[in-house]
């Protein structure tokens, strides 16, 4: 191979690697997702224990109200900050898919409850959603090379069956809130700080 061709290949390789370098930009949104949905989980716990009125509209108000707030935060953030690296675009795509998966899972479980009148199916929501977070973190870890994110993903995969063991217990919602803070907000905050550095 000629020296010029080798130099050209090395230059193209350096450009490709530079295009993938850069921080993940999912931290801000994941930090807020953990905070907002942990608050919703605590609200659901208060409803289940009778502190709040035990009516379906209260549960819908909690989840859809706070979900709407999160949607506004995510929309504003996405307008403000676009992923510019290949890794950032892949991460954004993964978390968008996780969000769509969460929405589809919620609708599916709600429809199962509506069709069967078995409210026990609601106990599947927290474990399923934590698994989806784990998938997102695992792909982020693989794309970014940040090995510590694999530990976060593994934490999600361990937390899911533990949440399953708490099925039909109001405390499942408190445990889910803790999982969201530990496995979404905290790593999101760390990524957000790395992005600003």
């Amino acid at each position: 191979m000629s020296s010029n061709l080798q130099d050209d290949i090395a230059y193209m390789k350096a450009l490709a690697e530079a295009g993938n370098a850069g921080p993940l930009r999912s931290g801000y949104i994941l930090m807020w997702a953990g905070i907002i949905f942990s608050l919703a989980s605590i609200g659901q716990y208060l409803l289940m224990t009778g502190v709040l009125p035990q009516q379906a509209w209260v549960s819908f108000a909690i989840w859809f109200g706070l979900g709407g707030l999160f949607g506004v935060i995510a929309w504003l953030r996405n307008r403000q900050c676009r992923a510019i690296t290949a890794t950032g675009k892949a991460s954004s795509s993964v978390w968008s898919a996780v969000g769509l998966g969460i929405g589809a899972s919620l609708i599916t479980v709600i429809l199962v409850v509506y069709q069967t009148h078995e409210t026990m199916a609601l106990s599947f929501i927290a474990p399923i959603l934590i698994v989806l977070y784990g998938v997102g973190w695992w792909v982020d870890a693989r794309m970014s090379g940040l090995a510590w994110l694999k530990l976060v993903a593994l934490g999600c995969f361990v937390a899911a069956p533990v949440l399953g063991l708490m099925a039909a217990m109001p405390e499942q919602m408190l445990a889910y809130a803790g999982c969201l803070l530990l496995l979404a907000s905290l790593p999101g905050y760390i990524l957000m700080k790395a992005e600003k550095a």
Side-chain angles (χ1 to χ4, degrees), residues 11 56 62 72 79 95 139 142 191:
Y11 174 73
I62 290 168
V72 169
R79 285 192 58 193
W95 286 107
V139 175
R142 298 287 292 169
L191 289 175

Side-chain angles (χ1 to χ4, degrees), residues 37-130:
F37 291 112
S38 67
L39 289 173
S41 299
I42 292 167
Q44 185 69 28
Y45 168 79
L46 294 174
L47 183 142
M48 293 171 79
T49 56
V51 175
L52 295 176
Q54 294 183 329
Q55 296 179 6
W57 72 266
V58 176
S59 184
F60 280 103
I62 290 168
W63 289 100
F64 286 100
L66 288 170
L69 173 63
F70 173 72
V72 169
I73 289 171
W75 180 75
L76 290 173
R77 177 63 175 181
N78 285 333
R79 285 192 58 193
Q80 183 182 59
C81 178
R82 296 265 184 225
I84 53 172
T85 66
T87 301
K89 288 177 183 177
S91 176
S92 177
S93 295
V94 166
W95 286 107
S96 294
V98 167
L100 291 170
I102 286 172
S105 298
L106 288 172
I107 291 168
T108 301
V109 172
I110 289 168
L111 290 175
V112 167
V113 170
Y114 175 78
Q115 185 68 22
T116 65
H117 305 287
E118 291 290 336
T119 57
M120 177 63 84
L122 295 171
S123 295
F124 283 103
I125 292 175
I128 290 170
L129 301 191
I130 283 295

Side-chain angles (χ1 to χ4, degrees), residues 24-36:
L24 296 174
R25 300 196 183 273
S26 53
Y28 180 88
I29 290 175
L30 288 163
M31 180 189 74
W32 280 106
I35 291 169
I36 289 171

Side-chain angles (χ1 to χ4, degrees), residues 105-193:
S105 298
L106 288 172
I107 291 168
T108 301
V109 172
I110 289 168
L111 290 175
V112 167
V113 170
Y114 175 78
Q115 185 68 22
T116 65
H117 305 287
E118 291 290 336
T119 57
M120 177 63 84
L122 295 171
S123 295
F124 283 103
I125 292 175
I128 290 170
L129 301 191
I130 283 295
V131 167
L132 290 171
Y133 273 95
V135 170
W137 286 125
W138 188 266
V139 175
D140 259 2
R142 298 287 292 169
M143 290 295 300
S144 68
L146 296 173
W148 67 271
L149 289 179
K150 285 185 182 178
L151 296 176
V152 177
L154 291 173
C156 292
F157 298 143
V158 169
V162 172
L163 290 170
L165 286 172
M166 301 177 79
M169 297 168 57
E171 291 76 18
Q172 184 195 51
M173 288 293 95
L174 291 181
Y176 181 55
C179 287
L180 288 173
L181 291 173
L182 183 64
L183 300 170
S185 290
L186 180 59
Y189 176 77
I190 292 168
L191 289 175
M192 186 179 73
K193 296 305 275 183

